[in-house]
Amino acid sequence: MEVMNLLYAGDGKPPNLCVHCSVCSATCPAVEFMDHSPRMLLAMINAGMKDEVLASNTFWTCASCFACSERCPQGIHVAQIMYALKRYSLWHNRYPEGLVGPDFSRRFVKTILANGKSYEPGYAPAFIWEGGLPGLLYEMLGAVKLLRRGRLQLIPKKIKRVDNFRQMIGRIIPLEGIS
Amino acid sequence: MKTYAYYPGCSLESMAVSYHVSAVEVAHLLGVTLVEIEDWNCCGATAYSHVDELLAQVLSARNLALAEKEQRPDLVAPCSGCFKNLYFANEHMLEDADLMDHMNFALEADDLSYSGGVTVHHLMDLFVREVGLDAIREKVEDPLEGLRVAPYYGCQMTRPRKPGEGLEDVEGPRFFEELVGALGAIPVDYPYRMRCCGASLIATSRQAALSMLRDLLQSAMDAGADVIATSCPLCQINLEVYQSEVNRELGTEFSMPIMYFTQLMGLALGIKPKQLGIGSEVVPVAPVLACRQSQRTAVAG
Ligand code: SF4
Ligand code: SF4
């Protein structure tokens, strides 16, 4: 199946070597917030349950902490599989509604492509949906505190050779593809 | 002493300025010169690998090529996220000649090229291994006596490296504890010292991030820590700035100072707090400052 093929391309060993030892799930700090534990997700991939895999919030809840990859006795790079699934679902525009992750990634990338650098306020709007209005107010209070202490910039920095930079990126991916 | 190419990364230009200034001050005092790479670009953080692997790769390739062009074979990154991206981008290109070619094709657009001649270090590696704990100990002027420091490794300074990739022990490193000890402070052991703080989830899965944060703060507090020392701006910002959110949403009452290891080093080396960017905290660090030997004698006398 397509998802499986994609995953073979990633680092580490293919997911079908999984022996269901659950070491990845046991070590995962975010597991209680996932629809499916990492081990379960691997099992679903191996069973070819593409729709269920893509509908899961599991890979969007992955913090990329690499604990699973480091400990998997089979050498499966579980964290890379989570990344691969994020990429796959972004490419295919297939992700559960209401998730902030995909939008966040896109915004972040846009900021970097425009400037060569990232800055916090550029992706602050992503906070709005997650926390609702009270969340936003608290974010702003936090932002005010940081501003007063000189820890928040309001104008994104730019690299000098931004045109060359964009041309360089253009040799890797079509620029309109991600904006 | 040696000169290093220095890659500050985006956070150190904004929310983590105090990490930048303290790193530069401490390096200077220890006889290390950090030269910022000219016109460096964002490493892509983690969001890039979500979107496109090659894109993430080329961002790091450009920074490595810039360091190579400046003829500085050793590159230092203070941010663990940047460090991990640069380190693995380098490894991938060294292992895969096709990838190296592909990157060079893109780099040409900016009149750059890369041949693989750069080694990537984390800032802490630089101090612990290249400068060495003995040399640091010798320079300590104001030991942090009695200060209980919880060293927080975070994720990407050690993971997903394997033993031999510049680390003796990936699962149970002690170098951070040893560094804290060299400053005259007491390193406290706590179970969550290597567990993820959830920084990358704060915007996207807030509940997961806050709960991870709470567990980590609780773990350090239970071990009697006066302060958590970090080696990554993303962890520092998450642990400090979101502490009030944890308190508000999860009903806790944490007031745990979170400082960069370079700030603690600087204090012990006798550098003035202001020069280390101290004073821009959201969670007050006064208890930490009071633990310096000079302050204690001043109070006693
Ligand atoms: S640790 Fe590896 S082998 Fe064990 S369940 Fe997870 S992926 Fe499968
Ligand atoms: S990398 Fe993701 S899936 Fe793996 S342990 Fe960390 S949070 Fe869990």
Side-chain angles (χ1 to χ4, degrees):
Chain A
M1 131 217 202
E2 212 180 347
V3 174
M4 185 70 144
N5 288 341
L6 180 86
L7 299 180
Y8 270 103
D11 274 13
K13 301 274 171 23
N16 61 5
L17 290 180
C18 174
V19 293
H20 307 292
C21 67
S22 265
V23 163
C24 52
S25 305
T27 200
C28 178
V31 68
E32 58 179 302
F33 296 91
M34 292 173 169
D35 292 340
H36 308 95
S37 71
R39 182 201 67 80
M40 180 69 98
L41 198 75
L42 269 271
M44 286 157 59
I45 292 169
N46 290 333
M49 298 161 69
K50 179 172 169 176
D51 293 338
E52 291 83 350
V53 169
L54 290 178
S56 176
N57 78 350
T58 295
F59 47 96
W60 289 111
T61 312
C62 166
S64 311
C65 77
F66 303 102
C68 49
S69 299
E70 191 183 289
R71 293 209 174 142
C72 172
Q74 292 294 89
I76 300 170
H77 203 329
V78 185
Q80 286 292 6
I81 292 176
M82 300 292 176
Y83 271 146
L85 286 167
K86 283 175 186 167
R87 288 194 292 271
Y88 184 91
S89 73
L90 277 175
W91 290 338
H92 292 260
N93 260 318
R94 286 190 55 180
Y95 38 82
E97 261 179 55
L99 275 183
V100 184
D103 194 71
F104 181 80
S105 296
R106 286 213 169 98
R107 264 163 210 271
F108 194 81
V109 168
K110 258 182 154 167
T111 309
I112 302 174
L113 288 186
N115 305 297
K117 291 190 177 175
S118 64
Y119 77 125
E120 283 80 16
Y123 48 96
F127 292 127
I128 299 171
W129 295 295
E130 183 75 7
L133 192 58
L136 175 65
L137 285 175
Y138 270 92
E139 284 317 325
M140 280 170 54
L141 290 177
V144 169
K145 272 193 239 160
L146 289 170
L147 263 177
R148 250 196 245 125
R149 289 165 175 78
R151 285 174 65 179
L152 208 55
Q153 49 174 134
L154 287 178
I155 302 164
K157 301 222 177 191
K158 244 193 173 75
I159 64 169
K160 288 182 206 138
R161 301 199 300 266
V162 90
D163 291 337
N164 285 2
F165 176 79
R166 289 184 63 95
Q167 275 179 29
M168 174 188 87
I169 302 289
R171 288 186 170 202
I172 297 290
I173 48 159
L175 275 177
E176 54 283 2
I178 32 76
S179 48
Chain B
M1 233 218 208
K2 223 166 143 178
T3 301
Y4 291 80
Y6 177 60
Y7 176 83
C10 300
S11 304
L12 272 79
E13 288 198 326
S14 56
M15 283 172 123
V17 178
S18 57
Y19 193 14
H20 172 71
V21 295
S22 55
V24 171
E25 286 285 340
V26 167
H28 179 73
L29 200 140
L30 293 172
V32 178
T33 311
L34 302 177
V35 181
E36 188 166 330
I37 299 173
E38 166 83 20
D39 209 33
W40 56 269
N41 57 265
C42 176
C43 78
T46 65
Y48 257 116
S49 341
H50 298 179
V51 178
D52 194 291
E53 258 181 318
L54 284 174
L55 190 52
Q57 181 74 36
V58 77
L59 290 172
S60 288
R62 182 171 180 274
N63 293 320
L64 291 164
L66 288 169
E68 196 171 75
K69 187 174 146 200
E70 292 170 12
Q71 300 188 332
R72 295 196 212 287
D74 289 282
L75 187 157
V76 181
C79 169
S80 301
C82 302
F83 163 74
K84 188 217 86 192
N85 286 345
L86 292 164
Y87 181 91
F88 284 99
N90 201 26
E91 294 290 296
H92 290 151
M93 284 189 286
L94 292 173
E95 283 162 13
D96 183 344
D98 287 344
L99 182 65
M100 183 75 100
D101 284 351
H102 192 162
M103 290 300 123
N104 272 312
F105 166 70
L107 289 169
E108 223 178 58
D110 195 19
D111 302 320
L112 290 168
S113 67
Y114 186 59
S115 73
V118 173
T119 307
V120 182
H121 308 266
H122 189 283
L123 183 66
M124 190 174 294
D125 282 350
L126 171 79
F127 291 132
V128 171
R129 234 158 292 156
E130 307 261 317
V131 175
L133 294 176
D134 288 337
I136 293 171
R137 230 175 257 121
E138 265 172 38
K139 291 260 165 81
V140 169
E141 297 221 324
D142 202 354
L144 308 174
E145 268 173 31
L147 186 68
R148 297 177 59 84
V149 179
Y152 178 56
Y153 285 83
C155 299
Q156 302 181 340
M157 183 163 66
T158 55
R159 290 189 293 264
R161 282 194 280 175
K162 297 272 179 274
E165 289 176 349
L167 267 184
E168 296 79 38
D169 191 348
V170 177
E171 288 257 353
R174 302 299 301 175
F175 58 87
F176 204 159
E177 280 80 1
E178 286 161 11
L179 176 63
V180 166
L183 306 177
I186 306 163
V188 300
D189 259 322
Y190 62 114
Y192 277 49
R193 69 193 185 105
M194 299 197 64
R195 189 161 152 127
C196 180
C197 72
S200 68
L201 293 176
I202 196 75
T204 54
S205 304
R206 190 187 176 84
Q207 287 317 311
L210 291 183
S211 128
M212 286 155 79
L213 210 45
R214 176 199 51 207
D215 295 348
L216 172 55
L217 290 164
Q218 191 66 49
S219 172
M221 206 173 91
D222 290 346
D226 298 318
V227 56
I228 296 178
T230 73
S231 56
C232 172
L234 306 173
C235 304
Q236 199 282 338
I237 292 162
N238 193 32
L239 282 165
E240 192 198 5
V241 179
Y242 286 91
Q243 215 173 109
S244 57
E245 307 285 292
V246 172
N247 287 341
R248 185 172 61 89
E249 289 185 27
L250 303 176
T252 50
E253 287 178 12
F254 295 116
S255 179
M256 176 68 76
I258 315 290
M259 292 174 79
Y260 292 108
F261 77 98
T262 43
Q263 293 180 304
L264 293 175
M265 284 180 81
L267 289 176
L269 296 173
I271 302 172
K272 294 208 173 64
K274 214 166 168 210
Q275 282 170 270
L276 300 167
I278 293 174
S280 60
E281 300 77 25
V282 178
V283 179
V285 299
V288 177
L289 297 180
C291 280
R292 284 171 299 163
Q293 201 185 44
S294 60
Q295 300 299 308
R296 298 187 150 200
T297 22
V299 171

